[in-house]
Amino acid sequence: MNRDDRERLPRSAPPGAAVPDVRAGTRRAFLQGMGGLCLAGTVLSGPGRRARAEDGPQLRRGNAQTPEEAQRELDEFKASYSDLAGWEQRKSRIRQGMLDGAKLSPLPEKTPLKPQFFNKRLYDGYSAESVAIQSWPGFYVTGTLYRPLDTQPPYAGVVSAHGHGGRFLPGRQIRCAVLARMGALVFHYDMVGYGDSQETGWSHGKTPEVLRLITWNSMRALDFVLSLDGVDPKRIGMTGNSGGASQTFYLSAIDDRVAVSVPSCQVSAHFFGGCVCESGMPIHWGPNHKTNNAEIAALTAPRPQLLLSNGADWTKFTPQTEFPYIRHVYRLYGAQDNVQNAHFPREGHDYGPSKRMAAYPFFIRHLELDGERPWGREGVINESLVTVETREQMLVFGPNNPYPKDAVAPNSPLP
């Protein structure tokens, strides 16, 4: 499993860091500073290794290769196509390979979600509501739906994946509530074996083919957001940290309905995720494709994407290795300005305050959110207006609201 990704206060960035210090600047300088998030890098040459059909499918787990091998592999991928048409062919092959590897081709039937809403709480500028949907009959996906108050439709929608620390951590609640105060409907949903499913006996690592089920749940969470009254289907974002980032760039790669993608601290060409929910099925290497997570993130092109990275984990090389390759793909579409990298060399594996301050204006710009409402007197986004809830408040089911009797047994695989 990935290292813990609890939200932590960041250490101060060094002079010349890629992200402006919003605590010291005005909102105008902050928004203008977003233009400086793209970091230039060089692509090194190397022989690479050729993927052969007879080699796959194979699992690529954890640190499956060195950073140097990853760079050579990206060079080889880049040399395999020379123009947009060639990339589109490769993109189609990778996407199909991912679906085949996750046993999602063909996709299961999209049965009725049957959403249930409970315990709506009203706060300053937004509401939080407990929600349960069925991704498949008896498979309950629980979470919190954040809605803006005093804002008229159409709304943007955001699918928020929490990662391996769970959705109850304060920083994760804060980012959802702030986005809601900006005018988005945000669904922050539980991974398998977390939240309500954990309460009823589900185990994240023991559920068969958990990558398949989690990817499917993410897709159905997107279906749910799109089903909400007033949501603009062209303004859908997704974000998450660590394992939640894996869900973000995986779903963005296979589902074009994600219009804006912000994965935090996970896009790496040499690291493939340390949990079975990220690398427990052969989505990276099959009979007809071989890829890595940097290239999977590139499948989002030309849709807007912000990569958040740091200096303490496997994303430490993002400015020099992964980002140049991904930006090369965007350049084929003439959309290189749609992809950015906010790198925090003195920070760690989290979606902490400074990373959120980089993500907010990206969402404001590309989801057309309210860029005035959340700002405080000091000229920065004011997160102090958010009410952090307890686990007990956020659980969907409990003594007064029992878990549904038609729920499947814990650790059941998706049919």
Side-chain angles (χ1 to χ4, degrees), residues 125-127 146-151 155 180-185 373:
Y126 71 98
S127 66
Y146 296 82
R147 299 178 188 259
L149 298 179
D150 305 321
T151 301
Y155 305 109
R181 294 185 81 250
M182 293 176 179
L185 289 163
R373 192 176 189 185

Side-chain angles (χ1 to χ4, degrees), residues 81-96:
Y81 55 90
S82 59
D83 54 18
L84 180 58
W87 163 252
E88 286 285 353
Q89 292 178 354
R90 180 169 178 81
K91 175 179 178 178
S92 177
R93 187 167 65 252
I94 294 171
R95 177 179 284 187
Q96 187 60 51

Side-chain angles (χ1 to χ4, degrees), residues 370-381:
D370 185 345
E372 297 291 330
R373 192 176 189 185
W375 295 89
R377 293 180 180 178
E378 295 78 17
V380 298
I381 291 177

Side-chain angles (χ1 to χ4, degrees), residues 276-343:
V276 288
C277 75
E278 301 165 293
S279 55
M281 299 181 74
I283 64 170
H284 299 96
W285 192 339
N288 300 306
H289 85 294
K290 182 182 180 184
T291 190
N292 57 46
N293 284 340
E295 190 167 49
I296 289 175
L299 266 61
T300 297
R303 291 164 285 152
Q305 182 171 204
L306 170 64
L307 310 174
L308 300 174
S309 56
N310 70 86
D313 67 13
W314 40 85
T315 63
K316 66 175 66 177
F317 303 111
T318 296
Q320 294 80 32
T321 302
E322 290 83 4
F323 182 64
Y325 180 84
I326 295 169
R327 195 164 190 258
H328 164 73
V329 172
Y330 273 78
R331 190 176 289 110
L332 295 175
Y333 293 93
Q336 58 268 27
D337 292 340
N338 277 356
V339 64
Q340 296 181 336
N341 171 216
H343 187 65

Side-chain angles (χ1 to χ4, degrees), residues 22-28 30-31 124 178 181-182 357 360 364 370-386:
V22 298
R23 291 167 295 183
T26 65
R27 64 183 177 185
R28 175 176 296 179
F30 180 34
L31 290 172
D124 188 347
V178 169
R181 294 185 81 250
M182 293 176 179
M357 290 298 167
Y360 292 146
I364 288 171
D370 185 345
E372 297 291 330
R373 192 176 189 185
W375 295 89
R377 293 180 180 178
E378 295 78 17
V380 298
I381 291 177
N382 186 357
E383 293 185 325
S384 69
L385 299 175
V386 174

Side-chain angles (χ1 to χ4, degrees), residues 361-395:
F362 194 81
F363 278 125
I364 288 171
R365 178 185 303 170
H366 293 290
L367 290 183
E368 301 176 18
L369 300 180
D370 185 345
E372 297 291 330
R373 192 176 189 185
W375 295 89
R377 293 180 180 178
E378 295 78 17
V380 298
I381 291 177
N382 186 357
E383 293 185 325
S384 69
L385 299 175
V386 174
T387 298
V388 175
E389 298 184 319
T390 65
R391 177 187 178 94
E392 289 70 30
Q393 286 176 294
M394 296 179 71
L395 285 171

